[in-house]
């Protein structure tokens, strides 16, 4: 079974940048970042597949970039122009062989489509 270990995150002021990393212990095909703010459901942020095809939630388009490291086992989420609304616990998730066949959660993959998760990391944006 693949394990995911997250690093990065922290606190910055509005307009700042942060980078999150997610290191997988084995091969994965579909990787995604989700986030969960207090009192809210977990929502999708960005995804990347084995062909490096990326998707983004509308709320982060143009500000966040997901990429795969040269070792193919580390997924990076570069977050720029951060806003207080981005404050949440961020989770990486992965699937070994395929991406979900549909995007039923606000035009993004649903958290229930992923069985492997990182430990979560807090991102706090102050105004």
């Amino acid at each position: 079974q693949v394990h995911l270990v997250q690093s990065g995150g922290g606190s910055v002021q509005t307009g700042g940048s942060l980078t999150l990393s997610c290191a997988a212990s084995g091969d994965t095909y579909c990787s995604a970042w989700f986030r969960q703010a207090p009192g809210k459901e977990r929502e999708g942020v960005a995804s990347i597949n084995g062909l490096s095809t990326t998707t983004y939630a509308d709320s982060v388009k143009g500000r966040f970039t997901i990429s795969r490291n040269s070792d193919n086992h580390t997924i990076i989420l570069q977050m720029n122009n951060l806003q207080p609304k981005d404050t949440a616990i961020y989770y990486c998730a992965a699937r070994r062989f395929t991406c979900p066949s549909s995007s039923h959660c606000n035009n993004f993959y649903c958290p229930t489509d992923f069985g492997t998760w990182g430990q979560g990391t807090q991102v706090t944006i102050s105004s």
Side-chain angles (χ1 to χ4, degrees), residues 3 7 16 37-38 46 68 72 76 82-83 85-86 88 100 113 117 126:
H3 298 281
S7 60
R68 188 185 299 273
N72 281 327
I76 308 295
L82 285 160
Q83 305 296 313
K85 65 181 180 178
D86 297 315
D113 290 328
W117 291 85
S126 58

Side-chain angles (χ1 to χ4, degrees), residues 34-52:
F34 291 82
R35 67 186 181 186
Q36 189 164 17
K40 294 189 176 181
E41 293 185 350
R42 193 167 298 189
E43 64 175 4
V45 175
S47 71
I48 186 169
N49 66 14
L51 302 177
S52 293

